[in-house]
Amino acid sequence: MRRFFAENMDLNGDAVCLYGDEARHIGLVLRMKPGDEVLLIDGSGAECTAVIESITEDSVRLAVRERRMSSAEPEVSVTLFQCLPKQGKMEVIIQKCVELGVMKIVPTVSARCVVKMEGKDNKIARWNKVSQEAAKQCGRAAVPQVAFPTALEKIDFSGFDTVLIAYENESEVTLRSVLTDGRKVSNMAVVIGPEGGFEPKEVGSVAARGGIPVSLGRRILRTETAGMAVLAQIMYELEQ
Ligand code: SAH
């Protein structure tokens, strides 16, 4: 069944109207007809089946049927604190990490970041659009939020039950050893460094806030590979 975003809409009522891109896509591009069934996604993790009632040039009215939680959402919530990478890489990171089940992405500023974010609010809007498109393509019912950039030293990790910082110089503790040590994980934070890596004192400061420095294995991964690798391993270990 085709999926459409009805973000910020109340899907608890009997009917809903789509406008803008989604409406044009249904009517003009796909040429769907009244009576056709679709899936509506409100961005929160729920989805509804709905039947098209009527279509105009710029709106589609649908009757809402069955509401259910999406089976595509992971049970573990992972927030990725991705230190700002160089030009263009953030879009790839967002797209792939959304596919792999991330719940939120926080662009993070650390000592060795070379990119500056001042005055780049349009970037955040663009990144959220990338997240939305990735969520739609891979069948997710939640659209992971891309937050405003935050300085690494200011992040409050207190709401997470497990905080991991992938550290290229960690030689003893592996990601796998933490994921398989029997802990109950439901709300996790993962911190990934920029191209130049972390300064030791940054890792110490995250550890002082409860973070566990982990190794991702014997090879140094690029910053854009590291988050994907961590997410794939988390889902492998923790998803049923
Ligand atoms: N320039 C650094 C590497 C940075 S890699 C150096 O040469 O040492 C970018 C980020 O990816 C790192 O800060 C870390 O968060 C993550 N990363 C890459 N490979 C890793 C590994 N083997 N173990 C842990 N973290 C890794």
Side-chain angles (χ1 to χ4, degrees):
M1 214 183 302
R2 291 242 176 214
R3 315 165 65 84
F4 298 94
F5 274 101
E7 263 183 295
N8 307 321
M9 283 185 198
D10 181 10
L11 296 181
N12 290 308
D14 294 338
V16 51
C17 242
L18 297 182
Y19 302 93
D21 286 351
E22 294 295 72
R24 274 190 295 278
H25 197 202
I26 290 176
L28 296 176
V29 181
L30 299 170
R31 303 204 164 275
M32 297 182 89
K33 298 276 174 280
D36 288 348
E37 214 179 351
V38 301
L39 263 184
L40 293 181
I41 289 154
D42 68 1
S44 72
E47 59 188 24
C48 282
T49 52
V51 177
I52 298 175
E53 285 188 338
S54 59
I55 303 181
T56 69
E57 231 166 58
D58 51 9
S59 75
V60 176
R61 187 183 157 85
L62 303 110
V64 177
R65 295 275 159 88
E66 186 199 346
R67 183 182 173 85
R68 60 191 182 208
M69 287 315 283
S70 162
S71 56
E73 288 308 315
E75 276 162 36
V76 55
S77 166
V78 182
T79 300
L80 177 68
F81 292 89
Q82 170 68 55
C83 289
L84 288 169
K86 288 185 194 153
Q87 285 303 318
K89 289 182 180 174
M90 196 65 170
E91 294 199 7
V92 177
I93 293 170
I94 292 165
Q95 185 191 63
K96 302 301 174 204
C97 289
V98 168
E99 286 171 37
L100 287 163
V102 79
M103 192 45 81
K104 183 173 177 183
I105 297 171
V106 183
T108 300
V109 181
S110 69
R112 295 184 188 161
C113 285
V114 290
V115 172
K116 299 278 169 284
M117 280 304 295
E118 283 85 44
K120 296 239 178 98
D121 288 3
N122 58 345
K123 267 255 147 69
I124 316 287
R126 166 78 199 139
W127 288 343
N128 277 287
K129 186 85 186 146
V130 170
S131 172
Q132 191 196 69
E133 279 164 11
K136 190 170 173 181
Q137 179 276 328
C138 73
R140 289 188 66 169
V143 179
Q145 182 207 355
V146 183
F148 276 96
T150 309
L152 180 60
E153 72 259 25
K154 293 202 178 127
I155 296 169
D156 174 8
F157 292 111
S158 59
F160 297 101
D161 52 31
T162 301
V163 178
L164 302 176
I165 175 164
Y167 185 33
E168 56 278 12
N169 294 332
E170 173 60 43
S171 53
E172 281 166 20
V173 180
T174 60
L175 171 61
R176 184 156 186 263
S177 68
V178 176
L179 294 176
T180 55
D181 70 1
R183 69 182 55 232
K184 193 187 157 324
V185 185
S186 60
N187 193 10
M188 186 179 236
V190 172
V191 189
I192 303 292
E195 286 85 353
F198 286 119
E199 295 194 344
K201 68 169 193 279
E202 291 181 304
V203 180
S205 146
V206 173
R209 283 172 275 164
I212 308 169
V214 292
S215 163
L216 304 182
R218 299 182 197 176
R219 290 163 296 280
I220 299 290
L221 309 177
R222 286 178 184 259
T223 182
E224 65 270 33
T225 316
M228 299 175 205
V230 173
L231 274 157
Q233 287 187 66
I234 291 172
M235 296 307 160
Y236 176 79
E237 287 295 342
L238 305 179
E239 239 191 339
Q240 304 297 310

